[in-house]
């Protein structure tokens, strides 16, 4: 029975709060104690055998005290659990980035800028210009979640692609779509596999240099965005 009673108490705490449950226990305890006292008074005028029988009955007052002790302990457990849960919620809200992709990418400085190794904050001016030219910015404003494999400006330069060359590329839309994946894939899900991007299949491979998307290495993973996740590339995913 204690385990069932504990379950009921905890359920009550979760539904109504500690103070309400404490008040309920006090009211029930008082009522039961009064009932016990009333029985004792009414039994005083009876025969000795009845009095002996009354003494042998379980005391409602004692049971109520036990229930109240159990309630207090359960209330303490409920409060502690609530505090732990609140702490987790605070940690999650602090870690979450309130910005969407189109708001995050221009942040080459300030608190939302992303630093990759010793190279300093990444800038994405070429990627932004390409997304605008390809008409893909509105897609990245959706609820998602999306995974964006984002080459920074250094990645485009390493691939020999200037801003002018990117904007004039005949396969611009397809190439940029190959950097966007529906759904959110975090670093824990990286493995040797083929992923279906919006622009077609891309090979993800774990190697000596790190995780590669075709021939572009992921320099920084798991940048949390309001509507997905971003991984910064050191190269450009090409067909």
């Amino acid at each position: 029975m204690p385990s069932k009673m504990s379950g009921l108490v905890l359920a009550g705490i979760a539904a109504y709060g500690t103070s309400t449950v404490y008040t309920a226990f006090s009211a029930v305890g008082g009522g039961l104690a009064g009932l016990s006292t009333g029985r004792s008074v009414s039994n005083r005028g009876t025969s000795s055998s009845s009095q002996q029988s009354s003494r042998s009955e379980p005391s409602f007052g004692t049971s109520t005290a036990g229930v109240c002790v159990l309630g207090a302990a359960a209330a303490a457990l409920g409060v502690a659990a609530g505090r732990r849960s609140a702490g987790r919620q605070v940690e999650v809200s602090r870690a979450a980035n309130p910005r969407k992709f189109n708001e995050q990418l221009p942040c080459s400085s300030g608190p939302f800028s992303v630093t990759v190794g010793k190279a300093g904050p990444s800038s994405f001016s070429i990627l932004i210009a390409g997304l605008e030219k390809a008409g893909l910015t509105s897609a990245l404003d959706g609820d998602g979640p999306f995974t964006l494999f984002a080459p920074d400006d250094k990645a485009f330069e390493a691939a020999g692609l200037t801003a002018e060359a990117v904007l004039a590329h005949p396969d611009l839309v397809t190439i940029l779509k190959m950097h966007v994946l529906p759904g959110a894939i975090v670093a824990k899900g990286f493995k040797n596999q083929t992923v279906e991007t919006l622009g077609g299949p891309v090979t993800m491979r774990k190697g000596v240099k790190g995780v590669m998307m075709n021939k572009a290495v992921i320099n920084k993973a798991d940048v949390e965005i309001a509507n997905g996740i971003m991984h910064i590339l050191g190269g450009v995913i090409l067909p």
Side-chain angles (χ1 to χ4, degrees), residues 96-167:
N97 189 338
R99 295 169 179 258
K100 292 186 176 182
F101 289 108
N102 293 327
E103 299 169 316
Q104 171 65 44
L105 290 174
C107 296
S108 58
S109 61
F112 290 100
S113 62
V114 182
T115 300
V116 180
K118 299 179 180 179
S122 289
S123 58
F124 300 92
S125 60
I126 299 177
L127 178 60
I128 293 171
L131 291 170
E132 291 175 349
K133 177 72 179 292
L136 296 175
T137 53
S138 59
L140 293 179
D141 263 337
D143 294 333
F146 306 105
T147 300
L148 176 63
F149 298 97
D152 58 14
D153 290 341
K154 300 182 185 68
F156 280 103
E157 293 168 4
L161 294 171
T162 64
E164 292 76 13
V166 170
L167 296 179

Side-chain angles (χ1 to χ4, degrees), residues 4-229:
K4 292 182 179 179
M5 182 65 71
S6 301
L8 291 173
V9 171
L10 290 174
I13 291 169
Y16 301 105
T18 304
S19 60
T20 304
V21 174
Y22 176 80
T23 302
F25 270 111
S26 299
V28 174
L32 291 176
L35 179 60
S36 177
T37 303
R39 286 193 175 187
S40 298
V41 171
S42 64
N43 285 339
R44 287 176 183 173
T46 60
S47 63
S48 59
S49 60
S50 298
Q51 292 175 356
Q52 183 64 32
S53 174
S54 177
R55 293 191 192 99
S56 64
E57 291 179 357
S59 171
F60 280 95
T62 303
S63 298
T64 303
V67 171
C68 288
V69 170
L70 178 60
L77 290 173
V79 170
R83 286 175 179 171
R84 288 194 297 270
S85 177
R88 287 194 294 269
Q89 291 174 0
V90 169
E91 290 172 3
V92 170
S93 64
R94 285 176 181 172
N97 189 338
R99 295 169 179 258
K100 292 186 176 182
F101 289 108
N102 293 327
E103 299 169 316
Q104 171 65 44
L105 290 174
C107 296
S108 58
S109 61
F112 290 100
S113 62
V114 182
T115 300
V116 180
K118 299 179 180 179
S122 289
S123 58
F124 300 92
S125 60
I126 299 177
L127 178 60
I128 293 171
L131 291 170
E132 291 175 349
K133 177 72 179 292
L136 296 175
T137 53
S138 59
L140 293 179
D141 263 337
D143 294 333
F146 306 105
T147 300
L148 176 63
F149 298 97
D152 58 14
D153 290 341
K154 300 182 185 68
F156 280 103
E157 293 168 4
L161 294 171
T162 64
E164 292 76 13
V166 170
L167 296 179
H169 202 290
D171 296 325
L172 175 63
V173 175
T174 299
I175 290 174
L176 292 181
K177 282 185 175 181
M178 292 179 71
H179 292 77
V180 182
L181 182 72
I185 294 183
V186 297
K188 289 183 179 179
F190 290 170
K191 60 183 179 180
N192 295 333
Q193 60 181 321
T194 298
V195 296
E196 285 294 332
T197 68
L198 297 182
V202 173
T203 300
M204 177 182 286
R205 179 170 47 85
K206 301 179 77 171
V208 177
K209 294 181 179 180
V211 179
M212 310 283 290
M213 299 297 294
N214 284 358
K215 295 182 179 180
V217 66
I218 297 176
N219 283 339
K220 186 177 183 64
D222 291 354
V223 179
E224 294 185 22
I225 310 297
N227 57 341
I229 198 84

